[in-house]
Amino acid sequence: MPRDKSLSHEKVKKAIREEFLEKGFEAASIRSIGARAGMTSAGLYRHFADKEDMFDAMVEPLIKEIKAWTKRHIGRKHQLMDNKTKDEEVFGETFIDLVKDVILPSRDEFKLLMTCSSGTKYENFIHDFVIDNQKAFLDAIKFMKKKGYPAVDIGEEELHMLLSAYTTACFEPIIHDYDDKKIEKYLNTVQEFFMPGWMRIMGINN
């Protein structure tokens, strides 16, 4: 009877995920991953080129989803403003929805990215993520001014500080492994705290 390659690959990925979550990237070992998966190191190399490739396989799908959601989100906002949508509707979808819809369903992979990525190209993920969003936010302010919204000018350093605080606050309950009910409660608190400030900067009445 032929082996189920997809089942074998999923078993390997489970072993990799467990090893990285328990030890982090730097302390994880291919031999230990092989033991968890019930195979030799040589067998693992039939699935992945090296330890970096293994970590990539865990987090890259989530990163691609985050980027795709962000691109769609920005496009929807521009379309709403183009259509002169009511102010309150422009902010109908927020970063909180990214956390709930994309990150929470992949919380193990997200924890790998946030807490286990030292020694990889992802170890500065939050900083890089904020930089990308900072540029998008500044572009949005220019676009909103062009469309007649009374958006407030804000410097890059000041915006970086605010976005870093907001992003970290949204990610913290997941990093600390709170249950779904607690995460939702804390995300609602973050939303209530930050949203009036974001809306004021964007020149949107609430």
Side-chain angles (χ1 to χ4, degrees):
M1 186 175 182
R3 291 179 59 189
D4 187 337
K5 291 184 179 179
S6 63
L7 183 62
S8 175
H9 195 67
E10 284 305 311
K11 184 179 180 181
V12 172
K13 287 175 67 175
K14 181 175 182 292
I16 293 170
R17 186 183 300 110
E18 290 174 351
E19 177 79 3
F20 285 140
L21 281 171
E22 182 181 317
K23 300 178 182 178
F25 174 79
E26 292 180 313
S29 81
I30 290 178
R31 180 176 294 180
S32 179
I33 292 170
R36 290 176 188 266
M39 61 197 311
T40 64
S41 297
L44 279 177
Y45 285 122
R46 287 197 290 270
H47 294 268
F48 301 97
D50 50 31
K51 196 165 72 167
E52 287 81 1
D53 190 31
M54 293 177 187
F55 199 87
D56 287 354
M58 295 296 102
V59 301
E60 275 296 333
L62 174 58
I63 291 173
K64 287 179 180 177
E65 281 193 61
I66 290 172
K67 289 181 177 179
W69 185 96
T70 303
K71 184 177 180 179
R72 290 194 303 269
H73 172 74
I74 292 171
R76 280 195 291 264
K77 295 299 184 190
H78 280 220
Q79 186 176 24
L80 288 170
M81 288 182 281
D82 264 336
N83 295 335
K84 303 296 184 182
T85 305
K86 292 179 181 178
D87 286 0
E88 64 271 15
E89 293 178 20
V90 172
F91 260 87
E93 179 186 69
T94 71
F95 184 73
I96 301 292
D97 294 297
L98 167 65
V99 176
K100 291 180 178 179
D101 298 341
V102 177
I103 293 175
L104 275 178
S106 301
R107 66 171 68 199
D108 281 347
E109 289 75 12
F110 185 72
K111 285 181 69 179
L112 285 176
L113 197 58
M114 292 293 101
T115 65
C116 306
S117 61
S118 179
T120 76
K121 60 188 177 185
Y122 310 101
E123 61 184 357
N124 296 313
F125 175 78
I126 287 186
H127 173 78
D128 296 339
F129 183 79
V130 167
I131 291 295
D132 288 342
N133 280 273
Q134 179 179 315
K135 182 182 182 303
F137 199 102
L138 291 172
D139 288 344
I141 288 178
K142 291 178 184 177
F143 184 81
M144 295 186 84
K145 283 190 170 186
K146 183 179 177 182
K147 293 297 178 180
Y149 290 87
V152 176
D153 285 322
I154 184 169
E156 288 191 24
E157 290 182 358
E158 187 177 11
L159 179 58
H160 183 82
M161 175 187 67
L162 292 172
L163 285 173
S164 294
Y166 181 52
T167 303
T168 301
C170 289
F171 290 167
E172 279 294 294
I174 306 170
I175 292 170
H176 289 291
D177 208 24
Y178 296 145
D179 61 40
D180 287 353
K181 186 175 180 181
K182 209 170 185 180
I183 287 174
E184 184 168 2
K185 177 179 181 295
Y186 286 165
L187 288 178
N188 288 337
T189 299
V190 170
Q191 178 115 322
E192 290 172 6
F193 183 82
F194 277 95
M195 198 50 58
W198 291 131
M199 294 180 79
R200 184 185 67 80
I201 291 171
M202 303 296 274
I204 294 177
N205 296 318
N206 59 341

